[in-house]
Amino acid sequence: MEVRLDAFSSPDYDVKDWLNQQFATIDVASTFESARPLTPSPEKSNVERSGGDSVRHTSESMTQRLTTQLHILATNSQQGNDRIKARFRHQAAQITRDISALAKLISDTQRHMLELSAEIDVQRPTARAVERLVHIDTARQRLQRSVAALDHLRSYTDLPQKINGLLESGDLAQA
């Protein structure tokens, strides 16, 4: 006889129905043959003995087998539950430490993100100011080149006046 474990996990499982099905699956004729006594009793005939005692003996042995198998299944299930509980109890402290460490890590990460965000907010105006300084420096360099170009151009515009002044003074060697 084999006990199917999936019957126990069914949502519509009923103990009485399951037991009745188990007893219904007994092959009564083959059980009578195996349970028939070898020597007849003097007070009962062979037919009466095989009919009444055999059925009672078969149902009792079937009940004992079912009870034993159910007890083994319940014991195995309980032992499995006990192992799971023991493992959880053993690992609960480690899980708690891991959760605490993870919470601290998350807290530190959030704090660093806020600090970085604040630093970026502080540096944003600084970056704009540096950008403006670069633009101002570029404009200053352009103005300096323009001044140098204008000085150079002024020297050329003053040159004819200087030459005329030297020619009028009679100093031809310098002109």
Side-chain angles (χ1 to χ4, degrees):
M1 171 185 183
E2 185 177 320
V3 177
R4 293 183 50 215
L5 295 176
D6 57 347
F8 296 108
S9 62
S10 173
D12 56 341
Y13 171 74
D14 183 28
V15 176
K16 292 177 185 175
D17 291 340
W18 183 82
L19 286 172
N20 287 332
Q21 287 175 356
Q22 295 302 315
F23 282 114
T25 59
I26 299 173
D27 184 9
V28 178
S30 67
T31 334
F32 284 152
E33 293 298 319
S34 64
R36 184 171 288 163
L38 296 174
T39 58
S41 152
E43 62 261 353
K44 293 185 182 177
S45 72
N46 198 11
V47 174
E48 289 173 349
R49 183 177 195 84
S50 67
D53 287 344
S54 189
V55 170
R56 188 176 315 119
H57 177 66
T58 303
S59 92
E60 284 176 6
S61 75
M62 180 66 170
T63 304
Q64 287 175 352
R65 280 189 293 175
L66 285 173
T67 304
T68 304
Q69 287 180 347
L70 287 173
H71 178 71
I72 291 170
L73 288 172
T75 302
N76 288 343
S77 175
Q78 184 63 38
Q79 287 173 348
N81 288 342
D82 289 344
R83 281 192 300 270
I84 289 170
K85 285 190 277 185
R87 215 174 327 149
F88 178 75
R89 270 187 251 120
H90 175 70
Q91 293 175 349
Q94 180 64 35
I95 291 170
T96 303
R97 284 191 299 270
D98 290 347
I99 289 173
S100 296
L102 186 59
K104 185 179 182 310
L105 181 65
I106 289 172
S107 173
D108 290 346
T109 303
Q110 286 177 337
R111 184 176 43 82
H112 288 299
M113 288 174 63
L114 288 173
E115 288 173 1
L116 184 61
S117 176
E119 189 174 322
I120 288 172
D121 288 342
V122 167
Q123 289 180 359
R124 194 170 286 148
T126 306
R128 287 188 200 131
V130 169
E131 190 176 305
R132 287 181 186 152
L133 285 174
V134 168
H135 286 302
I136 291 171
D137 188 51
T138 304
R140 183 188 56 81
Q141 288 174 357
R142 287 180 185 163
L143 283 173
Q144 285 176 342
R145 281 184 266 161
S146 296
V147 166
L150 286 174
D151 285 342
H152 187 67
L153 184 62
R154 189 177 327 145
S155 69
Y156 283 114
T157 56
D158 287 344
L159 187 62
Q161 290 174 356
K162 286 182 185 177
I163 293 176
N164 281 340
L166 288 174
L167 286 177
E168 286 179 11
S169 69
D171 195 8
L172 288 176
Q174 278 189 336

